[in-house]
Amino acid sequence: MIETTTSISGQTHASAHVALEKVPLESYVPPAKPSLIGLSRVELAEKLGGLGIAPAQRKMRVQQLWHWMYVRGAQSFEAMTSISKEMRKELERHFTVARPEVVAEQISNDGTRKWLLRLPGGDKLEKAHEVECVYIPETDRGTLCVSSQVGCTLNCAFCHTGTQRLVRNLTAGEIVGQIMVARDRLNDWIDRETPNGNRLVTNIVMMGMGEPLYNFDAVRDALLIVADNEGIGISRRRITLSTSGVVPNIKRTGEEIGVMLAISLHAVRDELRNELVPLNRKYPIAELLQACRDYPGASNARRITFEYVMLRGVNDSLEDAKLLVKLLKGIPAKINLIPFNPWPGTAYECSDWQQIEKFSEYIFNAGYSSPVRTPRGRDILAACGQLKSETEKLSARERQALRAMAMTD
């Protein structure tokens, strides 16, 4: 049961008695014909062995499949013309190369795209699960925000996704599949021309629905496929994993995945962070920052990003800025200031722009990069902290609030 209390900001929020973590309501049920998307080369070889492919041929066949799936984006075995017809038919009998289905696409007035994706079903009696994925085009890059769970394990007070139940973790194939869907929709595979001649999806951020480090194995396996230079080929330096602070898996992220790290910090005092990010009661700020100091590969060239959502009258004072600088001493860091993105029913408000600029200026003068993230996709609830699967329908009150936000934002 969630109780409420009045915080130091004078606003009413979830109390410290809110559960730190949610328990998954369901587990993954594989379909009768599983997809090969998301399998490692070793796992693909095992599948081919099950079809009677001789060991001497498996490496070559795996490489053919890998190329067709991850370089050319083939959506069927029939399209894989360098593989014999007989083998294509055999693969078709047992497997698919299915990725999530696009149920709805929304395009913001700033060019941001949000896709509601339905995951390939397992048992026919199982309710179809849906997640959201967001593409943010910029002049020098195209960033894809990818989900790791249906819902979220955590209950961060300012986050729309945190109000959702945790249904289940995504598989590696469902995570990789989101990137493949984006390339499908944008016509962004290597054998096709893009409007500017360059790749459209250049960066990946694990900042969608879910806490990635509570689904570590699947996220790791997926990102290793995404970073493979003989496939999707997105550099580890262009992949950022964001965590609310699951300390035991931070070191593992550096050692086993090697991607850029982002920390959802949002407060500089344990008392307030306990309220905003209840997981802090399990892994407090000092413990979290020590894990960052120990993060494998962290350097001035590979800085850790600290995300800090700007909440009016809550965490945006100059004293907060001073303490933030003090806390991060000795960590190769940059600080990403995020204007709070409102969502229906929230009690928080975005800091005044003048206050955000003062906060940013203090941090910058202390020697830290402190960009203010430009809100993108607010009009389609695609901005940071706003994702919530349409599986959970908005109430009439939420819809009314959303319409009001769209008119005034």
Side-chain angles (χ1 to χ4, degrees):
M1 179 176 179
I2 299 177
E3 301 176 16
T4 59
T5 186
T6 302
S7 72
I8 58 175
S9 66
Q11 296 172 315
T12 300
H13 309 303
S15 78
H17 298 296
V18 68
L20 296 186
E21 302 156 5
K22 300 169 197 156
V23 177
L25 299 174
E26 300 179 28
S27 57
Y28 175 68
V29 179
K33 278 175 62 171
S35 175
L36 296 181
I37 301 298
L39 299 183
S40 68
R41 285 184 173 86
V42 171
E43 290 168 329
L44 279 174
E46 290 174 353
K47 297 294 185 185
L48 294 178
L51 299 183
I53 306 297
Q57 294 184 26
R58 288 177 204 166
K59 184 176 180 180
M60 179 191 71
R61 296 301 186 194
V62 165
Q63 201 58 26
Q64 285 178 318
L65 286 168
W66 199 268
H67 177 84
W68 280 106
M69 290 190 296
Y70 300 130
V71 176
R72 305 187 70 168
Q75 298 189 43
S76 69
F77 294 113
E78 187 59 33
M80 302 180 182
T81 52
S82 64
I83 299 175
S84 70
K85 287 185 178 180
E86 292 75 15
M87 184 174 174
R88 278 183 271 163
K89 288 179 180 177
E90 186 66 8
L91 287 168
E92 180 66 34
R93 274 195 286 271
H94 297 277
F95 306 108
T96 73
V97 284
R99 48 274 242 158
E101 170 195 357
V102 177
V103 177
E105 178 180 56
Q106 292 175 280
I107 302 178
S108 169
N109 52 26
D110 64 20
T112 297
R113 296 179 183 228
K114 182 171 77 169
W115 294 294
L116 179 65
L117 304 178
R118 182 166 295 145
L119 307 173
D123 189 325
K124 289 184 178 180
L125 299 177
E126 178 189 51
K127 183 179 180 181
H129 297 146
E130 295 169 351
V131 294
E132 291 182 333
C133 179
V134 176
Y135 173 68
I136 306 166
E138 299 177 78
T139 53
D140 61 340
R141 72 182 68 188
T143 300
L144 191 69
C145 183
V146 175
S147 295
S148 57
Q149 297 179 312
V150 183
C152 186
T153 303
L154 303 179
N155 298 282
C156 298
F158 57 87
C159 181
H160 198 203
T161 313
T163 66
Q164 216 175 316
R165 301 168 303 160
L166 172 62
V167 180
R168 68 170 174 85
N169 287 329
L170 298 186
T171 67
E174 290 167 338
I175 296 168
V176 176
Q178 293 171 64
I179 298 157
M180 299 180 76
V181 166
R183 286 202 161 166
D184 291 343
R185 300 292 289 194
L186 298 169
N187 207 35
D188 190 36
W189 295 102
I190 199 167
D191 58 343
R192 299 160 217 181
E193 289 191 15
T194 60
N196 62 7
N198 300 315
R199 293 276 64 81
L200 299 180
V201 177
T202 63
N203 293 61
I204 303 296
V205 291
M206 294 300 305
M207 297 181 185
M209 296 168 58
E211 165 53 65
L213 295 191
Y214 274 120
N215 187 17
F216 183 87
D217 290 350
V219 168
R220 175 199 59 207
D221 296 349
L223 293 183
L224 292 179
I225 290 172
V226 173
D228 190 287
N229 60 13
E230 294 181 353
I232 292 175
I234 296 176
S235 164
R236 284 177 172 83
R237 296 192 67 168
R238 288 181 173 267
I239 301 172
T240 300
L241 184 150
S242 176
T243 177
S244 293
V246 185
V247 168
N249 282 341
I250 288 177
K251 184 179 180 182
R252 289 186 67 195
T253 299
E255 292 175 340
E256 299 179 35
I257 312 177
V259 295
M260 307 298 283
L261 180 68
I263 301 294
S264 247
L265 188 60
H266 309 307
V268 291
R269 298 174 179 84
D270 282 320
E271 179 186 2
L272 177 58
R273 196 166 190 268
N274 288 346
E275 177 187 322
L276 297 178
V277 186
L279 182 67
N280 192 73
R281 303 204 306 274
K282 187 173 184 178
Y283 305 114
I285 291 173
E287 192 175 336
L288 172 59
L289 294 184
Q290 188 58 52
C292 293
R293 289 186 174 89
D294 298 337
Y295 187 67
S299 65
N300 285 331
R302 294 174 66 88
R303 291 175 294 172
I304 295 172
T305 299
F306 288 87
E307 298 161 328
Y308 196 94
V309 66
M310 301 299 293
L311 302 170
R312 183 161 69 184
V314 177
N315 65 351
D316 61 352
S317 70
L318 197 55
E319 287 303 311
D320 288 312
K322 290 177 181 178
L323 187 51
L324 179 58
V325 168
K326 184 178 179 180
L327 285 174
L328 298 187
K329 186 177 181 181
I331 301 175
K334 71 175 181 179
I335 299 158
N336 213 350
L337 301 180
I338 307 169
F340 175 64
N341 295 306
W343 42 269
T346 182
Y348 294 101
E349 297 177 0
C350 182
S351 302
D352 297 331
W353 192 254
Q354 185 179 15
Q355 189 63 25
I356 294 175
E357 287 183 328
K358 286 180 182 178
F359 198 100
S360 176
E361 183 179 10
Y362 182 87
I363 293 169
F364 180 79
N365 289 337
Y368 290 94
S369 171
S370 56
V372 179
R373 185 185 295 176
T374 304
R376 300 290 300 272
R378 276 185 169 184
D379 55 317
I380 57 171
L381 280 188
C384 182
Q386 289 185 318
L387 298 188
K388 184 175 182 182
S389 168
E390 287 298 314
T391 303
E392 295 222 342
K393 301 300 182 183
L394 295 177
S395 67
R397 180 182 175 189
E398 287 178 321
R399 286 195 299 273
Q400 185 177 12
L402 180 54
R403 282 196 294 272
M405 283 161 43
M407 289 187 288
T408 60
D409 191 22

